[in-house]
Amino acid sequence: MKYQPLSSSLYIKNREKFCYKLAEGSVAVFHSNDIMPTNADGTMRFRQNNDLFYLTGIDQEETILLVAPDCPNPHMREILFLRETNEHIAIWEGHKYTKEEAEATSGIKNIQWLANFDQIFNTVMALCCNIYLNTNEHLRAGVVVETKDARFIKECKERFPLHNYHRSAPIMHKLRGVKEKEEIDQLQIACDITEKGFRRVLSFVKPGVTEYEIEAEYLHEFVRNRSKGFAYEPIIASGASACVLHYVENHKECLAGEMLLMDVAAEYGNYNADMTRTIPVSGRFTERQRAVYDAVLRVQKEASHILRIGTNIQDYHKEVGLIMQSELVGLGLLDQTDIKNQNPDWPAYKKYFMHGTSHHLGLDVHDVGTMHGPIKPGMVFTVEPGIYIQEEGLGIRLENNIVIQEGKGYFDLMRNIPVEAEEIEELMNS
C-alpha cells in the first residue's frame, strides 16, 4: 500500500471494544470484500471491507477474521485467516501478507491459511452458542450484489441451524461512529492532502480550462502525496451543472463569469476527506455570486457551532433549515408568504437547499454511526450547506469536516483550506 500503516495497538483496542459488546459464549466472523469483475478477464480495484479493516488493519482480499472471546481454548479466541501465497501468485499479483506481517499489522497471534477455516470454524461453533454475522445496514445502502458476508450467512445457517444468530452491524455502527485519535490523525492527513490539491487548482482555474483538466490536477496532487486517489467520484461542476447534486460527467469547458463547484477530496489509509469549495472561474465574484456565497458560508459557520454534544442529528438538521430559511429571505428567494404556505414535510427552503447538512465521515464517506441518537465526542461530521438557484444557473456549496470535542465545541480538520471569499480571490489572482 502507498500509505503508512497504523500501529497494531489500534486494531487490538478495536477488537477489545467489539468483543466487550458480545453476549457470553459468542463467535463473530468478518469477511473481506470480493474482487468485483468488470468484463472479459477484468476486475475492479480491490477495496477492503471497512469493518474487517477497522478490526484488523489487513488490506488484502480473501481474508477472514474470527473472534470468540469466551472460547475455552485460548488459541481460538482470535484467528486471522489469509490467502496462502505461492510462486505463481507472487509473479502475477505481487507480494501477499506473510503470517509474520499479518501478526505485526493486526496484533493477532494465531494466523492461519484459508484452507484451515472450515475445520477450525466447526470446532469453535461446537464450543459456542451465539454467532454474530455481518451485513451492510447503512440507512442509505442499496445492496444489489450478493457479498461474501451474505453468502456466508446462508451457508452458516444451513450448517448450524440451531445456534442463536445476531447482527454485528449495530455494534460496529456504534463503535465506528466514535473515532479514536489514530483515526482522526488519518482523517487529518486526508484533509491535508485535499488542501494541497485545492491550492494547486486555485492557481490553475481560469476561463477556458475544462472540468476534466481540473479533475486531473487534483488526482495528480493526491497520488503524489501517497493517497490512492479520490475518496469518492469527484464532482467538478461549472455553471448550471452545480445545481445537479451528483453531477460527475466533468466534461464541460469552464466559462468566464461562471461559478465552479468542486466536491472532491482525497482518501488516506482508507480514511476519507470530503470537501466542497465553490470558486469564480474568472477569479472574481460578481455582486450576486458574492451575496449567495456569503450566505452559504454564514450557514456553514453557524451549523458548525450548533453541531454539538448531546444534539440529535435530526433536530440539528431542522435548526439549520431555519437558519437557511432566513438567508434565503435575505437573498430575495423566499418571502413570508412562501413560508406561511409551506408544506411542513417539505419546507419552502428545500426548493434551494434540498439535501442534508451533515453526515458521519470515516472509513466510509457516508460513514456508519447513529443518525438518531445524541452526538458524542469523537464523532466526525461533514458540514455542507448549499444554495442552488436553477433559474440563475448558480449553485454554491461549502463543506468542511469537523470533530466533535468534549467541552471544546468542535475541531475543524479543514481549518487551513481557504474558504473566505477574499482569500479565494487573492489566491486566484496572485
Side-chain angles (χ1 to χ4, degrees), residues 114-259:
L114 272 177
N116 298 327
F117 176 75
D118 283 343
Q119 179 183 352
I120 293 174
F121 183 59
N122 286 342
T123 300
V124 174
M125 285 293 278
L127 299 170
C128 296
C129 56
N130 300 296
I131 179 164
Y132 286 76
L133 299 177
N134 205 26
T135 52
N136 182 356
E137 298 185 21
H138 192 283
L139 291 175
R140 294 169 60 178
V143 181
V144 295
V145 176
E146 189 174 50
T147 64
K148 176 61 178 174
D149 277 326
R151 297 194 299 275
F152 182 72
I153 290 170
K154 290 181 180 178
E155 297 167 8
C156 198
K157 287 188 172 182
E158 287 179 0
R159 291 168 58 191
F160 304 98
L162 299 181
H163 279 69
N164 300 315
Y165 283 82
H166 302 272
R167 298 150 55 217
S168 292
I171 299 174
M172 294 303 298
H173 286 204
K174 289 180 181 178
L175 297 181
R176 283 178 51 192
V178 178
K179 272 60 179 179
E180 296 287 347
K181 180 184 181 302
E182 298 93 325
E183 296 181 277
I184 293 171
D185 290 344
Q186 293 293 79
L187 286 166
Q188 183 66 75
I189 294 173
C191 290
D192 292 344
I193 295 172
T194 302
E195 177 191 355
K196 292 178 181 179
F198 180 60
R199 289 184 180 275
R200 174 177 178 145
V201 161
L202 282 176
S203 62
F204 176 79
V205 170
K206 60 182 181 295
V209 303
T210 58
E211 294 165 349
Y212 54 82
E213 288 177 300
I214 296 167
E215 180 180 344
E217 292 293 312
Y218 275 110
L219 183 59
H220 186 165
E221 195 65 28
F222 290 175
V223 174
R224 73 193 291 263
N225 282 282
R226 305 184 75 128
S227 166
K228 284 185 280 191
F230 296 115
Y232 48 90
E233 195 69 21
I235 298 169
I236 314 290
S238 59
S241 296
C243 295
V244 180
L245 297 182
H246 288 165
Y247 171 85
V248 293
E249 285 82 359
N250 302 348
H251 67 287
K252 293 181 180 178
E253 179 182 339
C254 300
L255 303 178
E258 290 183 329
M259 293 292 286

Side-chain angles (χ1 to χ4, degrees), residues 405-416:
Q405 294 187 310
E406 183 76 66
K408 299 178 183 178
Y410 69 92
F411 179 76
D412 191 348
L413 295 170
M414 293 185 167
R415 62 202 175 280
N416 295 324

Side-chain angles (χ1 to χ4, degrees), residues 386-409:
I387 294 176
Y388 312 92
I389 314 171
Q390 294 189 23
E391 57 269 28
E392 298 180 26
L394 176 61
I396 295 176
R397 180 166 67 251
L398 299 172
E399 177 180 16
N400 278 20
N401 307 156
I402 68 172
V403 183
I404 306 301
Q405 294 187 310
E406 183 76 66
K408 299 178 183 178

Side-chain angles (χ1 to χ4, degrees), residues 268-283:
Y268 183 80
N270 292 340
Y271 286 86
N272 303 288
D274 191 357
M275 178 197 76
T276 308
R277 290 294 185 271
T278 310
I279 64 175
V281 172
S282 300

